[in-house]
Amino acid sequence: MSETNTTFHNPVIPGFHPDPSVCRVGEDYYLACSSFEYFPGVPLFHSRDLVHWTRIGNVLDRPDQLRLPLDSPSSGGIYAPTLRHHDGRFWLIVTNVSGDGNLLFTTTDPAGPWSGPIRLPDVHGIDPDLAWDEDDTCWCTTAGVAQVPIDPHTGRTLGPQRRIWSGTPGAKAPEAPHLYRIGEYWYLLIAEGGTERCHSVSVARSRTPDGPFEPCPANPVLTHRGTEHPIQNTGHADLVQGPDGSWWMVLLGVRPGGGSPGWHVLGRETFLVPVDWVDGWPVAGALSPEAPAPPWPLRPGPAVPVRDDFDENELAAHWVSVRHRPPEDCTTKERPGRLTLRARGGSLDEPDVTFVGRRQQHPACRVRAHLDPSRGEGGLAVRLDESHHYTVEAAPGQVRVRARIGPLTGVVASREAPAGPVVLRIEVTPVDAGYDARSGPDTVSLGFENPEGGFVELASLDGRYLSTEVAGGFTGRVIGLFASAGSVDIDWYDYEPLGS
Ligand code: 6LW
């Protein structure tokens, strides 16, 4: 199906999907993102138009590919992949900062399975990039910015790793390099200024892949620092050509809400922006929430249904757990049409918790789950990390809301509830801060549905405490299901966006 639109909506992949890396194979585009402490890791998307992206899997969906020790911190784990297609194969290089360092994976089918990890013990630094030159030398470029030729089949380095550029003098954190041969030059695109409000995209070029690199006089080629723009922290870009030969960038940005200093709750999201070339340098076009559509037919893929009935043997690719997912603790095979969760840790405070969730992708949304606590306790959670989460939890005959904000934790409200299965509900509503500089970005309402009808709200909590500005780190909210004692059975889970 195709449609002709005059605008498209940014972000093109909403919710916590940072550090996008994109590659094109004929008419198909593929995009991968960072995933930090979540398993499976490295979400992979497909598109025919650069605007509509469908999740086709996760690159790291087996324990031999993704090892996240229980003592690895949230926002550790998997940083910043680069996805490329070369010589008939897909290549993905990424860093596991929680132990395994830089790792390479390869496949002929991006939907999987991907290979086991090829280790790169002698490639130092995060944000590795891959680029092949005319002699088929594979150049691996990392944050810093440093570079080393490698054999991608073995992971061995083929020379010393050396500094090739330091970015703009005075700017911190030159990172996220991507190297491309475009026309007469090799272009080195980087992010600098840090991944917060000063984030930016800069570029340098050279006649050869290993330099010397000449910085663009107009750097940064894209930044929203110091502006009122609703999309902030823009950086970490990757270049790609559209179906008509035009150039585009995917990049990360955030949408802060509330008063001052602004809180973003959905993590760093993936945006799309057009690129022009002037005097041999890339010039980014306007990045806006409603942007002029590209001049080719848009081709939406299948939408993710609101309801997950757990009728399949395997969970859909958008479900993620924390650090690992032992199959015996999270299964649809035990009771047909039900997801059974068996508790490991006693709460979301613990690194080893039985949790399975989906990224919150819309500023306003409603999540409902039909959960049977007759064999244990569990519920719905909005999770930022171990120290920042709100939960609504069912035990036989009781529902309670708990909040964890940094070192503070406690039951906020509890209520008798009918014995047996209960429908738990969380609703997130953005707040219009107006002139109230202290206003939070949204409210999170938690409760359950009365069998006779109506929502019993137990608590309505300020969403700022589940934001990156409060919790720190690199992720965003994930909303999902957990078990805290015994086991719980879930009949269905709805994630319903309320607006775009
Ligand atoms: C990533 C770095 C960054 O490795 O944040 O925004 C780090 N940029 O390039 C974690 O995503």
Side-chain angles (χ1 to χ4, degrees), residues 195-197 232-233 252-258 261-269 384 441-442 463-464 466-477:
T195 194
E196 301 82 21
R197 293 291 189 271
Q232 289 289 320
N233 304 23
L252 72 79
V254 307
R255 296 183 281 172
W263 294 267
H264 73 277
V265 301
L266 300 187
R268 300 171 300 161
E269 309 178 272
L384 226 290
D442 58 3
R464 84 180 71 196
L466 305 187
S467 71
T468 302
E469 283 77 4
V470 168
F474 297 129
T475 63
R477 288 185 191 158

Side-chain angles (χ1 to χ4, degrees), residues 88-145:
R89 303 188 70 79
F90 291 86
W91 299 86
L92 184 124
I93 189 166
V94 74
T95 315
N96 183 343
V97 300
S98 299
D100 285 336
N102 288 316
L103 301 170
L104 239 170
F105 301 85
T106 180
T107 187
T108 50
D109 181 356
W114 285 73
S115 71
I118 301 165
R119 288 165 203 286
L120 299 136
D122 299 322
V123 176
H124 306 290
I126 59 168
D127 301 353
D129 174 75
L130 296 174
W132 283 262
D133 69 15
E134 291 81 354
D135 303 329
D136 215 31
T137 299
C138 179
W139 296 94
C140 180
T141 309
T142 53
V145 180

Side-chain angles (χ1 to χ4, degrees), residues 18-19 34 36 79-80 126-127 175-176 191 195 199 236 252 268 474:
D19 310 329
S34 301
F36 304 95
Y79 277 25
I126 59 168
D127 301 353
E175 58 188 11
T195 194
H199 215 198
H236 205 125
L252 72 79
R268 300 171 300 161
F474 297 129

Side-chain angles (χ1 to χ4, degrees), residues 74-292:
S74 284
S75 284
I78 295 296
Y79 277 25
T82 294
L83 177 65
R84 295 290 180 258
H85 187 258
H86 175 75
D87 216 8
R89 303 188 70 79
F90 291 86
W91 299 86
L92 184 124
I93 189 166
V94 74
T95 315
N96 183 343
V97 300
S98 299
D100 285 336
N102 288 316
L103 301 170
L104 239 170
F105 301 85
T106 180
T107 187
T108 50
D109 181 356
W114 285 73
S115 71
I118 301 165
R119 288 165 203 286
L120 299 136
D122 299 322
V123 176
H124 306 290
I126 59 168
D127 301 353
D129 174 75
L130 296 174
W132 283 262
D133 69 15
E134 291 81 354
D135 303 329
D136 215 31
T137 299
C138 179
W139 296 94
C140 180
T141 309
T142 53
V145 180
Q147 191 185 61
V148 60
I150 63 163
D151 176 346
H153 298 276
T154 62
R156 274 203 301 271
T157 53
L158 303 175
Q161 190 171 8
R162 56 177 204 92
R163 177 71 55 94
I164 54 168
W165 191 32
S166 302
T168 306
K172 75 172 185 182
E175 58 188 11
H178 290 304
L179 182 66
Y180 321 83
R181 172 76 199 242
I182 300 171
E184 292 301 295
Y185 288 100
W186 285 86
Y187 288 88
L188 179 58
L189 196 70
I190 65 163
E192 51 183 355
T195 194
E196 301 82 21
R197 293 291 189 271
C198 290
H199 215 198
S200 56
V201 181
S202 290
V203 67
R205 70 185 182 192
S206 166
R207 296 282 180 188
T208 51
D210 53 346
F213 283 91
E214 163 203 6
C216 173
N219 279 334
V221 292
L222 190 152
T223 187
H224 285 178
R225 68 187 178 211
T227 68
E228 298 272 18
H229 203 284
I231 304 163
Q232 289 289 320
N233 304 23
T234 49
H236 205 125
D238 199 6
L239 283 167
V240 67
Q241 264 187 302
D244 63 348
S246 58
W247 285 88
W248 297 77
M249 261 181 202
V250 292
L251 74 161
L252 72 79
V254 307
R255 296 183 281 172
S260 178
W263 294 267
H264 73 277
V265 301
L266 300 187
R268 300 171 300 161
E269 309 178 272
T270 288
F271 293 82
L272 178 70
V273 66
V275 172
D276 266 344
W277 291 86
V278 178
D279 298 332
W281 293 108
V283 177
L287 167 54
S288 49
E290 286 303 322

